[in-house]
Amino acid sequence: MTANSQIPPPPWQRLPDRQARRRREPISQEAIVSAAVRLLDREGLAALSMRRLAEELGTGAASLYWHVGSKDGLLDLVLDQVIGEGQVPDPDPARWREQLKDVARAQRRASLRHPYIVRISIGRIPMGPNALRYSERVLAILRAGGLPPRLAVQGYLLLIATVNGFTIDETGVTDGAPAGTGDSAGPDSAGPGDPASAQDAANMARDYIASLPRDLFPTMTGLADEFAFADADERFEMLIDIFVDGLARRAAANAAT
Amino acid sequence: MTANSQIPPPPWQRLPDRQARRRREPISQEAIVSAAVRLLDREGLAALSMRRLAEELGTGAASLYWHVGSKDGLLDLVLDQVIGEGQVPDPDPARWREQLKDVARAQRRASLRHPYIVRISIGRIPMGPNALRYSERVLAILRAGGLPPRLAVQGYLLLIATVNGFTIDETGVTDGAPAGTGDSAGPDSAGPGDPASAQDAANMARDYIASLPRDLFPTMTGLADEFAFADADERFEMLIDIFVDGLARRAAANAAT
DNA sequence: ACCTGAACACCGTTCAAGT
DNA sequence: ACCTGAACACCGTTCAAGT
């Protein structure tokens, strides 16, 4: 939305640096990235190949390379595009803890909406224009909350990593493909997050754990029922409670020095 | 080490269930898995293909399928093998917090020793024999610490996810390939973790952030120096401090009810 | 019970040649 | 400045055929 021309690309960006980018309808960098996101949303990470994407756009795979350099470069752009969906509020110093939790919740929702995105983000330092604007706004909240510079940056990096660690488990089971793609499930497609099959998986885990030999696994067999408790929302809230409270405690201890 | 025959495989295990497994030297499930781990340690995740692995073992790719079912099944076994390296101490109720932190530190070290393992673990519920024994012992520590059943299981799952989220960032930049494989670095291969190039990356990030327009990125440009502070050890300690302390606080609050 | 070669249906990427 | 077809060097997996 804001002018990207003011932001020079980072030196490690895997993109061809060519200037004048005319907009012939069928194909352009923007069109390619949007088509990639649509394809990923619809069919998951495994369905995205340069050939398949080109077909979707009515061209050959080779034509994409002029615009996005490589598949890796395309994924950089996809990641930044999805990050661009995130809205971060203006800092309200009195409410920085709750604002930070909202940021975490929004990140989790985005990761569930695009179940392939956490996997794409692995190995990529998000430094596209949208990622920069996003970081700027989250860090502004932390600074407004009174966190000193180092703690603000460390806390920001750890928050993102923590949420990613959580959502990897949530989105991992389905391999990034949308629910209901397989032929095993009936017409009861339960939408994003697929709670029905997540509960099924938890029940299977419980039954299996309960069936283990009691002498070798005294603790686990006793806890089998708890593995069937798969309320991801509650677990996520617990995680960000622990994290944000701990960060606030550090900030307070830091201020006392 | 312990007899696996007492532990039935989970129903979703992607392996062919065949019984008598004679040990003709060149090829066996164990030999395949060990060779895969060696290849992965040496050349990273991208280097592992069924053809390449078979070549390493002096056979054709098709021969592997009888023993491991599929590449996915092989990765299940690789994951369990690496988890089997982990040693978890007997529970000491008075020291459960420190023991849990040690578990987290050991998990991080294993992930740095095998930089591909976190990526392999995505989408896999570790339920192999080694994973079960591991879970049993960690949960025993949490229960000995006085955590009620639900909190013990939730805390265990969140601890693993949190450590994974952290180590994904640490191992992500190099794509799981060992340091010094590329031809850009000199003979100064800095061993696992590759601190030299990690610091380089942090410095590049700092310089780039510092170069951004100050009016659009007032917060980030002011924090640029902090992005060059790449002490992953310190950041990790902060993370597990926050997490374990928060978990203990929850346990105490729970006990008061 | 195990191994094999050959084939099928894919990949990402390059490159000379076009317009 | 952009697009293309064809090729290169790979993939995971299957399957009939062997021993």
Side-chain angles (χ1 to χ4, degrees):
Chain A
M1 299 302 176
T2 320
N4 289 352
S5 47
Q6 296 187 55
I7 311 171
W12 56 84
Q13 191 82 1
R14 286 157 286 215
L15 292 173
D17 48 338
R18 301 201 183 82
Q19 39 285 62
R21 186 185 40 193
R22 219 105 41 85
R23 199 83 62 90
R24 285 209 342 172
E25 247 320 335
I27 198 174
S28 71
Q29 191 177 91
E30 290 86 352
I32 293 171
V33 174
S34 295
V37 171
R38 279 197 306 274
L39 179 58
L40 286 164
D41 286 346
R42 203 176 346 118
E43 304 188 32
L45 193 50
L48 180 70
S49 73
M50 298 302 272
R51 286 171 155 95
R52 177 72 199 285
L53 179 59
E55 189 188 345
E56 211 91 1
L57 288 161
T59 14
S63 305
L64 305 180
Y65 281 81
W66 199 88
H67 298 274
V68 297
S70 65
K71 188 179 184 182
D72 219 45
L74 170 62
L75 293 181
D76 283 346
L77 295 168
V78 166
L79 176 59
D80 201 61
Q81 167 123 326
V82 170
I83 289 174
E85 291 176 9
Q87 297 294 327
V88 185
D90 289 328
D92 178 352
R95 294 185 63 255
W96 74 270
R97 287 179 205 74
E98 200 48 48
Q99 287 191 309
L100 198 60
K101 288 185 191 177
D102 281 341
V103 165
R105 292 185 189 108
Q107 191 194 327
R108 174 172 174 241
R109 279 197 305 273
S111 294
L112 293 176
R113 202 164 49 235
H114 309 291
Y116 49 87
I117 207 67
V118 187
R119 250 163 295 208
I120 285 183
S121 80
I122 292 176
R124 278 166 231 282
I125 308 169
M127 286 262 174
N130 289 326
L132 290 175
R133 283 189 283 264
Y134 184 85
S135 299
E136 168 70 22
R137 295 186 67 82
V138 178
L139 284 166
I141 290 174
L142 288 167
R143 292 291 280 146
L147 298 221
R150 175 151 305 173
L151 196 58
V153 172
Q154 305 271 59
Y156 173 56
L157 296 174
L158 286 177
L159 177 74
I160 290 177
T162 299
V163 175
N164 275 344
F166 186 90
T167 50
I168 274 182
D169 287 344
E170 270 191 302
T171 63
V173 255
T174 62
D175 194 50
T181 292
D183 47 325
S184 59
D188 51 5
S189 59
D194 203 21
S197 82
Q199 186 59 56
D200 287 353
N203 288 341
M204 282 181 67
R206 176 201 53 204
D207 294 345
Y208 177 56
I209 291 166
S211 80
L212 294 172
R214 233 158 259 282
D215 54 334
L216 281 178
F217 301 99
T219 312
M220 282 204 95
T221 49
L223 292 170
D225 283 342
E226 295 303 334
F227 282 91
F229 177 74
D231 191 331
D233 290 349
E234 181 178 312
R235 192 153 62 233
F236 184 74
E237 287 298 319
M238 174 173 149
L239 180 63
I240 61 178
D241 269 9
I242 287 177
F243 182 82
V244 175
D245 288 0
L247 195 62
R249 222 176 294 271
R250 293 237 154 192
N254 209 310
T257 317
Chain B
M1 300 299 179
T2 320
N4 290 352
S5 48
Q6 294 188 55
I7 311 172
W12 56 84
Q13 192 82 0
R14 286 155 287 217
L15 292 173
D17 48 339
R18 302 202 183 79
Q19 40 283 61
R21 187 185 39 193
R22 217 105 41 84
R23 201 82 63 91
R24 286 209 339 175
E25 248 318 336
I27 198 173
S28 70
Q29 190 177 92
E30 290 85 353
I32 293 171
V33 174
S34 295
V37 170
R38 278 197 307 275
L39 180 57
L40 286 164
D41 286 346
R42 203 176 345 115
E43 304 188 31
L45 192 52
L48 179 71
S49 74
M50 298 301 274
R51 285 172 156 94
R52 176 71 199 285
L53 179 60
E55 189 188 345
E56 211 91 0
L57 288 161
T59 14
S63 304
L64 304 181
Y65 281 81
W66 199 89
H67 298 274
V68 298
S70 64
K71 188 179 184 182
D72 220 45
L74 170 62
L75 294 181
D76 283 346
L77 295 167
V78 165
L79 176 60
D80 200 61
Q81 167 124 324
V82 169
I83 289 175
E85 291 176 10
Q87 298 294 328
V88 185
D90 289 329
D92 178 352
R95 294 185 62 256
W96 75 270
R97 288 178 204 75
E98 201 48 50
Q99 286 191 312
L100 198 60
K101 288 184 191 180
D102 281 341
V103 166
R105 292 185 189 107
Q107 192 195 327
R108 174 171 174 241
R109 278 196 306 273
S111 294
L112 293 176
R113 202 163 49 235
H114 309 291
Y116 49 87
I117 208 67
V118 188
R119 251 163 295 208
I120 285 183
S121 79
I122 292 177
R124 277 166 232 283
I125 307 168
M127 287 261 173
N130 288 326
L132 291 174
R133 283 189 283 264
Y134 184 85
S135 298
E136 169 69 23
R137 295 187 67 82
V138 178
L139 285 166
I141 290 174
L142 288 167
R143 293 290 281 145
L147 298 220
R150 174 150 307 173
L151 196 58
V153 173
Q154 306 270 57
Y156 173 57
L157 297 174
L158 286 178
L159 178 74
I160 290 176
T162 299
V163 176
N164 275 343
F166 187 90
T167 50
I168 274 182
D169 287 345
E170 271 192 300
T171 63
V173 255
T174 62
D175 193 49
T181 292
D183 46 325
S184 60
D188 51 5
S189 58
D194 201 23
S197 82
Q199 186 59 59
D200 286 353
N203 288 342
M204 281 180 68
R206 177 200 53 204
D207 294 344
Y208 177 56
I209 292 166
S211 79
L212 294 172
R214 233 160 259 283
D215 54 334
L216 281 177
F217 300 100
T219 312
M220 282 205 94
T221 50
L223 292 170
D225 283 343
E226 295 303 334
F227 282 91
F229 178 73
D231 190 331
D233 290 348
E234 181 177 312
R235 191 152 64 233
F236 184 73
E237 287 298 319
M238 174 172 149
L239 180 63
I240 61 179
D241 269 10
I242 287 176
F243 182 83
V244 175
D245 288 0
L247 195 63
R249 221 176 294 273
R250 292 236 155 193
N254 209 311
T257 317

